[in-house]
Structure formats: structure tokens, C-alpha cells
């Protein structure tokens, strides 16, 4: 359902993605790990066109993402729900309104104009309330986002993403700003959504312990290449050391080491 085919990306002279090949199947729940700066965010941003690859193709639902056609790109973006580290909510607006904002991309014509003014159809409001309930936020839905805890904000952000009816959910470090207990709750929620709705979900995450508890498939990146793709059991101490250490860089090129490291 999501396929990266030989993706390359440079920022200035820095080659950030060096030929990424990765396929994610319908309904998978996948973690992407790797040291800071290895290219995780850049990779997932190629899916919604916030980063345009220099070479290679991204396919979503068997459709090649066309970065030069803004109409097609907009349609593609509607299919991709995003969840971020800093929640990206409208802070001065209440939870219900934030969730309804998830439909902004799908409203057309007069409805679009009204939605910009914050006026939504009854059935959309009903749906938003259902999603808020589903993510565990029945109460205080009229409280401003900036009055809510980090965990509650992330629940609102997840409900907003669901409101889009996405075929793919991309979460970029969704627990980076949360305490361990709240992190567990948010990952449990994402996992529950994946299991109950079969929503294909890709989570960029740093915490190895959480990765172990929640993900069957883990993709590790290092300096713009994929160096591991497999389950947690295959992720030995040695491989983790390799993924997160930098000092071996002088000895081998990334690609040679990547070939040595890939297992599953
Ligand atoms: N728009 C940009 N312009 C220039 N350089 C960029 C841009 N976006 C990312 N980079 C650089 O590309 C490299 C990879 O960045 P990226 O954000 O993809 O890393 P990451 O793996 O997500 O790291 P982190 O775990 O810290 O979020 C970094 O060196 C970063 O500085
Ligand atoms: Mg990042």
C-alpha cells in the first residue's frame, strides 16, 4: 500500500536519503527508528509531498505520487493522516473544532467556505464526537487545546487524523513529548486503531523499549539508508549499537555496512 522506490534526497550538499527501498503492506503497524538526523522525517515527508525526492518514486495505494500536480497532491494528502511530536493543534481552539479541522481538506464549494468559518454539517460534528469518544475524550471537548495535557492533545490529534478517513497514518515521534505512562497509553491507542480498523500505520519512534512492546516490524535507518528491517528479536545489542553509533563511519561506507546488517 506504501512503497518507496529508490528514493534520493539532498539538502544542499548533504545527501539525506540515499536510495531508500521500502514496502509497507495494507494493515501493517511499523516502527521507523534511527539516530537523530538519519532521515526518518525526511522520508515520511515524501509521502505527503512536504519533501519532494530528487529521484525515485513513492506509491500510495498503487498510485505514484505526482509532486508536480497540485490537485493530485492535495487528493493524496487527504489519504494520509499525520500525527506529530508537538501535536500541531490550533491551541486557542477547542478539541471538537480541532477534530473537525481534519475535514477541511475534504470540504468542497460552499461547504468549504463554511468550514473555514468553523461551520460544519451536523453529520460531521456527530462523527467528530464519535472519534473523540473513541480516542477516550468524552469530556471537556469544549476546552481549549492549550488547556489540555500532552496526552490529551495527542488524542485530539489522533481523532483529527481519523476524521480524514485516511488510508495511511504517519506518526512522527508521537510520544517524544510525553511521560512514560502517557506514552504507553498513546501507543496502545494507535495499536488499537490499527487492530480494529486495519489502518496502516507508520510510527517514527526513538524509545527502544516501546518499540519492543508494540511493533512486530521495525525498520532502522542510518545516515540515509535502511540498515535493518525485521522483528525486535533480530535487533541484537550489536545491531542497535551499530544503528545508533557514529564512530564506525570512518571504516566502512554506509551501504556496505547496511548489506551486512540487513537480516529479515
Ligand atoms: N528542509 C531542510 N533543509 C535543509 N536540511 C534539512 C531539511 N530537513 C532536514 N534537513 C537535514 O536532513 C537531515 C535529516 O533530517 P531528518 O529531520 O529527516 O532527520 P530525523 O531522522 O527525522 O531526525 P530526528 O530524530 O532528530 O527527528 C538532517 O541533517 C537535517 O538537518
Ligand atoms: Mg525527525
Amino acid at each position: 500500500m506504501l512503497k518507496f522506490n529508490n528514493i534520493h534526497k539532498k539538502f544542499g550538499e548533504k545527501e539525506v536519503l540515499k536510495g531508500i527501498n521500502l514496502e509497507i503492506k495494507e494493515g501493517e503497524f511499523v516502527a521507523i527508528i534511527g539516530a537523530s538526523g538519519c532521515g526518518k522525517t525526511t522520508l515520511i515527508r515524501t509521502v505527503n509531498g512536504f519533501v519532494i525526492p530528487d529521484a525515485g518514486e513513492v506509491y500510495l495505494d498503487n498510485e505514484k505520487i505526482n509532486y508536480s500536480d497540485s490537485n493530485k497532491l492535495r487528493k493524496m494528502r487527504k489519504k494520509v493522516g499525520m500525527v506529530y511530536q508537538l501535536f500541531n493543534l490550533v491551541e486557542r481552539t477547542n478539541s471538537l473544532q480541532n477534530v473537525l479541522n481534519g475535514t477541511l481538506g475534504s470540504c468542497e464549494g460552499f461547504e468549504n467556505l463554511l468550514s473555514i468559518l468553523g461551520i460544519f454539517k451536523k453529520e460531521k460534528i456527530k462523527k467528530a464526537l464519535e472519534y473523540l469518544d473513541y480516542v477516550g475524550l468524552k469530556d471537556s471537548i469544549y476546552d481549549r487545546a492549550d488547556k489540555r495535557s500532552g496526552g490529551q492533545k495527542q488524542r485530539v490529534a489522533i481523532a483529527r487524523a481519523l476524521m480524514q478517513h485516511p488510508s495511511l497514518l504517519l506518526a512522527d515521534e508521537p510520544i517524544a513529548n510525553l511521560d512514560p505512562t502517557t506514552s504507553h497509553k498513546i501507543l496502545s491507542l494507535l495499536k488499537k486503531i490499527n487492530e480494529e480498523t486495519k489502518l496502516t500505520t507508520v510510527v517514527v519512534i526513538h524509545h527502544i523499549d516501546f518499540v519492543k512492546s508494540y511493533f512486530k516490524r521495525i525498520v532502522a535507518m542510518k545516515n540515509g539508508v535502511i540498515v535493518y528491517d525485521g522483528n525486535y528479536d533480530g535487533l541484537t545489542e550489536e545491531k542497535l549499537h551499530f544503528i545508533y553509533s557514529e564512530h564506525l563511519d570512518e571504516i566502512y561506507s554506509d551501504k556496505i555496512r547496511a548489506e551486512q546488517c540487513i537480516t529479515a
Side-chain angles (χ1 to χ4, degrees):
M1 77 90 50
L2 176 64
K3 190 174 175 189
F4 298 93
N5 187 21
N6 202 22
I7 301 295
H8 288 261
K9 181 67 189 175
K10 266 187 180 181
F11 288 116
E13 285 305 296
K14 190 175 164 63
E15 202 179 0
V16 175
L17 301 177
K18 302 171 184 170
I20 298 282
N21 290 298
L22 177 66
E23 195 167 347
I24 289 166
K25 298 210 164 60
E26 188 90 46
E28 276 198 284
F29 193 69
V30 181
I32 298 184
I33 64 166
S36 188
C38 72
K40 305 179 294 297
T41 296
T42 305
L43 180 67
I44 66 168
R45 284 167 74 95
T46 63
V47 182
N48 51 28
F50 293 134
V51 167
I52 300 173
D54 299 329
E57 303 86 36
V58 181
Y59 295 85
L60 181 63
D61 288 337
N62 292 319
E63 201 182 327
K64 187 171 144 182
I65 296 179
N66 185 339
Y67 297 100
S68 52
D69 184 329
S70 56
N71 267 338
K72 281 191 176 161
L73 196 56
R74 208 175 311 124
K75 278 193 186 137
M76 195 64 90
R77 275 184 190 149
K78 280 187 218 161
K79 291 177 152 197
V80 186
M82 295 291 303
V83 174
Y84 302 93
Q85 174 179 352
L86 293 173
F87 324 116
N88 291 24
L89 301 178
V90 182
E91 292 284 333
R92 289 165 168 271
T93 299
N94 68 43
S95 304
L96 177 62
Q97 190 71 43
N98 267 289
V99 174
L100 283 163
N101 287 347
T103 69
L104 285 180
S106 62
C107 298
E108 282 174 3
F110 188 57
E111 192 191 358
N112 186 32
L113 185 66
L114 289 177
S115 68
I116 291 165
L117 297 170
I119 302 163
F120 293 88
K121 282 184 174 169
K122 257 190 195 154
E123 62 263 35
K124 288 206 165 153
I125 295 172
K126 187 167 169 261
K127 203 79 211 154
L129 291 169
E130 278 169 24
Y131 281 127
L132 278 162
D133 190 15
Y134 184 63
V135 301
L137 289 178
K138 235 186 193 153
D139 305 319
S140 318
I141 54 166
Y142 297 105
D143 281 0
R144 270 169 45 157
D146 55 5
K147 299 275 184 295
R148 313 213 79 167
S149 68
Q152 288 172 331
K153 285 183 188 180
Q154 202 55 296
R155 286 174 194 272
V156 174
I158 292 167
R160 179 185 57 189
L162 294 178
M163 198 68 196
Q164 271 176 255
H165 303 295
S167 57
L168 170 70
L169 185 69
L170 296 176
D172 195 355
E173 302 196 37
I175 60 167
N177 277 38
L178 305 177
D179 63 66
T181 309
T182 311
S183 297
H184 269 297
K185 288 181 181 165
I186 292 297
L187 284 175
S188 299
L189 175 62
L190 290 174
K191 182 94 181 138
K192 173 182 128 156
I193 293 166
N194 168 259
E195 283 169 357
E196 290 181 355
T197 69
K198 307 289 172 239
L199 175 61
T200 311
T201 304
V202 177
V203 182
V204 174
I205 182 167
H206 273 295
H207 311 61
I208 287 302
D209 288 344
F210 287 118
V211 168
K212 180 182 180 179
S213 311
Y214 291 92
F215 296 90
K216 286 200 188 90
R217 183 176 177 196
I218 299 148
V219 173
M221 290 177 66
K222 184 177 165 90
N223 296 338
V225 294
I226 289 176
V227 293
Y228 182 80
D229 185 351
N231 62 20
Y232 184 81
D233 292 339
L235 208 50
T236 58
E237 280 280 312
E238 200 183 359
K239 282 174 188 157
L240 278 173
H241 170 78
F242 164 71
I243 291 160
Y244 286 100
S245 71
E246 288 300 332
H247 67 270
L248 297 170
D249 285 357
E250 295 108 80
I251 310 172
Y252 301 112
S253 79
D254 294 327
K255 282 187 179 168
I256 293 168
R257 283 185 288 115
E259 281 158 18
Q260 290 168 345
C261 195
I262 287 170
T263 53

